[in-house]
Amino acid sequence: MRLSHVTRIAAATAAAALVLTATACGNQAELGGSGAPAPTVAEDTEFEAGTTMAELNEAGTLRVGTKFDQPLFGLKGLDGNPVGFDVEIAKLIAAKLGIPADKITYTETPSRIREDVIVNDQVDIVVATYTINDARKEKITFAGPYYQAGQDIMVAADNTTITGPETLKPTGARVCSVTGSTPAKKLEEYVDPANIVLFDVYSKCADALRNGQVEAVSTDNVILLGLIEASQGAFKLVDKPFTEEPYGIGITKGDVQFCEFINTTLQEASTSGAYKAAWDATAGKVQPEAPTLPTADACS
Ligand code: GLU
């Protein structure tokens, strides 16, 4: 079939667009990390009847809520599955339950809906750069922490005026964060309400910074590091963390046995080196020094 001139141009443009998209996605997939070696799936599992562990083992699948747009922690890859440190933590838990990685189903879980997806039984666990705090504990239970981040600020690479949270108000900076996140709340101490810009996901904040709609983005340092890496030199980290953000794994409120099971799994992964391998294959690409697993909180 002969293509008309216009169709040929359209086809060429579409092909070019495809190449561009593929390149962009390729970079993005790399930024999530390649994924650690698949953890060994437990075989002779014996779980007490009636426990969440027994139910999940029996079901043979694990439903995980995570982020899809956060390089290094949870970034959707070309195959549709997310990659990153949070995803590796989910795989370690699944493996201990006797569930292989390819039997995990992922649901994109932006900050604001994390408690809801647990309460509404849409997922079994949420691993999503999820800070443990008392307000959230009223609705859900946290296992962990498995990592400790800190809130920080990201600005354009040539910005010299924003050097810490206390410089945000005097410079009149418009600051972007995400609805339902702890950083959005904390910003109220440092920024006039009219200058706080909230989206549902952090990738939109990165777009707003690139477009000059805001002068700063504020959230956890490790999330910002992923966005900075993806920006190819356009953004930088202020690098003055001003909060503590211990990351937990969200589960159904009051499921103490499952919480303790997850904490034991984390501890074993730390001892075996699987925790470090998970870091090295993901966030470690940008932050080479692997963290030590923080001491677990009591489950309640
Ligand atoms: N760790 C913070 C929180 O749980 C910020 C990161 C996020 O929104 O995922 O709110």
Side-chain angles (χ1 to χ4, degrees):
M1 192 180 76
R2 286 187 57 203
L3 297 175
S4 75
H5 180 60
V6 174
T7 319
R8 250 185 284 132
I9 292 176
T13 315
L18 265 181
V19 171
L20 274 178
T21 314
T23 313
C25 292
N27 285 341
Q28 286 216 332
E30 269 166 37
L31 284 170
S34 46
T40 313
V41 178
E43 272 171 18
D44 303 322
T45 50
E46 263 186 43
F47 298 114
E48 197 186 317
T51 60
T52 301
M53 293 79 83
E55 280 169 19
L56 292 172
N57 174 259
E58 175 66 24
T61 58
L62 184 68
R63 301 169 304 161
V64 174
T66 192
K67 301 296 184 81
F68 276 16
D69 72 325
Q70 290 181 199
L72 310 182
F73 275 74
L75 181 70
K76 196 171 173 183
L78 286 177
D79 65 356
N81 285 329
V83 283
F85 188 58
D86 281 341
V87 175
E88 293 304 324
I89 294 289
K91 286 182 193 167
L92 289 169
I93 296 165
K96 207 73 196 163
L97 288 163
I99 301 168
D102 64 357
K103 289 287 184 287
I104 299 176
T105 55
Y106 296 98
T107 300
E108 182 175 15
T109 311
S111 302
R112 190 181 54 82
I113 66 164
R114 288 175 293 196
E115 289 87 85
D116 293 347
V117 294
I118 296 168
V119 170
N120 298 335
D121 191 29
Q122 289 164 271
V123 301
D124 301 306
I125 61 173
V126 168
V127 197
T129 57
Y130 199 5
T131 297
I132 300 171
N133 69 26
D134 288 343
R136 291 168 178 169
K137 277 199 223 166
E138 287 183 10
K139 293 186 179 168
I140 62 145
T141 284
F142 282 105
Y146 61 92
Y147 182 71
Q148 171 129 325
Q151 184 172 352
D152 212 312
I153 300 167
M154 174 173 86
V155 292
D158 60 0
N159 183 305
T160 53
T161 53
I162 298 171
T163 52
E166 61 296 328
T167 61
L168 291 171
K169 206 175 268 182
T171 52
R174 292 164 297 179
V175 189
C176 189
S177 198
V178 156
T179 314
S181 69
T182 49
K185 186 96 197 93
K186 188 76 183 171
L187 277 181
E188 292 169 11
E189 292 173 27
Y190 295 101
V191 184
D192 288 331
N195 280 338
I196 300 179
V197 177
L198 298 180
F199 288 113
D200 56 344
V201 291
Y202 292 108
S203 49
K204 292 186 187 166
C205 284
D207 291 342
L209 181 61
R210 193 171 297 108
N211 298 336
Q213 291 165 319
V214 298
E215 284 72 41
V217 177
S218 185
T219 185
D220 302 342
N221 44 8
V222 280
I223 298 174
L224 297 175
L225 281 176
L227 297 172
I228 289 164
E229 185 72 6
S231 82
Q232 299 182 320
F235 307 149
K236 69 178 178 187
L237 188 69
V238 166
D239 206 9
K240 296 261 176 59
F242 53 100
T243 67
E244 290 185 352
E245 309 290 331
Y247 287 177
I249 293 141
I251 59 171
T252 303
K253 185 168 166 64
D255 196 342
V256 172
Q257 279 172 304
F258 191 32
C259 173
E260 285 170 353
F261 168 84
I262 293 173
N263 286 346
T264 306
T265 302
L266 291 171
Q267 191 51 56
E268 286 174 7
S270 167
T271 310
S272 72
Y275 172 84
K276 183 178 181 306
W279 180 267
D280 290 346
T282 56
K285 304 276 179 216
V286 169
Q287 188 82 307
E289 204 180 312
T292 23
L293 180 69
T295 307
D297 294 345
C299 290
S300 61

